[in-house]
């Protein structure tokens, strides 16, 4: 996105807070309505796919997802399907059977459509879903859909009773499974060690 901003004489700093988790096409429309948003979004995502060689998973994410069956999780992303798959592959992450992307919804985040579609494809109500989000835009989308949210990192400062906690990485989570096939997630207790 930085390179695109430079090429089009747009201040990246004016976008950096607002474009995280928004569809690329929506960001282009907001920043440069005089350009063809669809064409520009395709260019930006192609640049993104070309720069993925150093992409890494959020610590513990692969291990966490590998404890779930493919029918128990999905992806609701603001990237196009091709870019989402390229990112997951570059980070050596599993690719879900349920992948709701920018090119499969009419309304991008913070609209709830992506999470509503993901829950529908998973065959559960949104209220039964836990969304992992690292942005305000994404958290608002999940919350409006009716999902509970677990925040990752410090970027999102949204406050809502359906936000169950905040983690820095997936390695802070324990996945608990019970005899009736139900599951629970436990956030490991953080300890401050003095060395």
């Amino acid at each position: 996105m930085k390179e695109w901003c430079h090429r089009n004489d747009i201040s990246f700093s004016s976008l950096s807070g607002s474009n995280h988790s928004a569809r690329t096409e929506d960001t282009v429309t907001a920043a440069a309505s005089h350009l063809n948003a669809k064409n520009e979004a395709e260019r930006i995502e192609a640049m993104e796919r070309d720069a993925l060689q150093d992409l890494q998973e959020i610590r513990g994410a692969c291990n966490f997802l590998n404890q779930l069956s493919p029918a128990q999780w999905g992806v609701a992303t603001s990237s196009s399907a091709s870019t989402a798959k390229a990112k997951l592959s570059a980070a050596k992450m599993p690719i879900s059977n349920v992948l709701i992307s920018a090119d499969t919804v009419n309304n991008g985040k913070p609209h709830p459509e992506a999470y509503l579609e993901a829950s529908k494809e998973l065959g559960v109500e949104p209220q039964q879903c836990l969304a992992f989000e690292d942005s305000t835009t994404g958290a608002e989308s999940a919350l409006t859909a009716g999902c509970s949210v677990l925040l990752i990192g410090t970027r999102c400062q949204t406050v809502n009773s359906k936000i169950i906690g905040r983690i820095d990485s997936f390695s802070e989570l324990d996945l608990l499974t019970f005899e009736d096939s139900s599951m629970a997630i436990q956030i490991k207790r953080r300890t401050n060690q003095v060395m």
Side-chain angles (χ1 to χ4, degrees):
M1 187 60 105
K2 272 186 185 177
E3 185 181 337
W4 177 84
C5 285
H6 180 70
R7 286 182 186 176
N8 290 282
D9 198 28
I10 295 166
S11 166
F12 177 73
S13 61
S14 68
L15 294 182
S16 60
S18 62
N19 72 335
H20 189 71
S21 282
R23 292 188 304 182
T24 308
E25 193 171 332
D26 295 340
T27 300
V28 171
T29 299
S33 58
H34 61 286
L35 297 175
N36 181 311
K38 187 175 191 304
N39 291 345
E40 295 301 316
E42 288 171 3
R43 279 192 195 96
I44 292 166
E45 291 215 7
M47 286 187 275
E48 231 182 305
R49 288 190 297 273
D50 289 342
L52 292 176
Q53 63 273 10
D54 297 325
L55 189 67
Q56 295 183 0
E57 66 169 310
I58 296 172
R59 193 167 29 95
C62 257
N63 182 53
F64 179 81
L65 290 175
N66 286 329
Q67 294 177 66
L68 301 170
S69 80
Q72 293 175 309
W73 68 281
V75 174
T77 179
S78 294
S79 293
S80 67
S82 59
T83 300
K85 288 176 183 176
K87 287 177 179 179
L88 291 166
S89 294
K92 298 177 177 54
M93 299 280 293
I95 297 175
S96 174
N97 296 334
V98 174
L99 177 61
I100 306 302
S101 60
D103 37 14
T104 60
V105 294
N106 293 317
N107 303 289
K109 296 176 183 178
H111 192 281
E113 184 179 356
Y115 279 105
L116 293 171
E117 288 300 315
S119 66
K120 185 187 210 178
E121 285 202 27
L122 288 167
V124 296
E125 293 298 317
Q127 294 76 13
Q128 296 173 284
C129 296
L130 174 62
F132 294 86
E133 271 295 348
D134 67 346
S135 74
T136 300
T137 303
E140 287 175 9
S141 173
L143 291 165
T144 304
C147 305
S148 294
V149 173
L150 183 59
L151 297 175
I152 304 169
T154 58
R155 183 178 288 144
C156 176
Q157 296 302 315
T158 301
V159 176
N160 186 293
S161 62
K162 293 196 77 171
I163 294 176
I164 65 165
R166 180 185 302 275
I167 57 173
D168 291 322
S169 73
F170 284 84
S171 59
E172 295 174 41
L173 300 178
D174 282 325
L175 183 64
L176 310 173
T177 53
F178 304 103
E179 287 182 11
D180 65 355
S181 298
S182 64
M183 294 182 301
I185 293 174
Q186 180 176 312
I187 300 174
K188 295 175 186 175
R189 185 179 203 155
R190 295 181 183 168
T191 58
N192 294 328
Q193 298 177 346
V194 178
M195 298 190 161

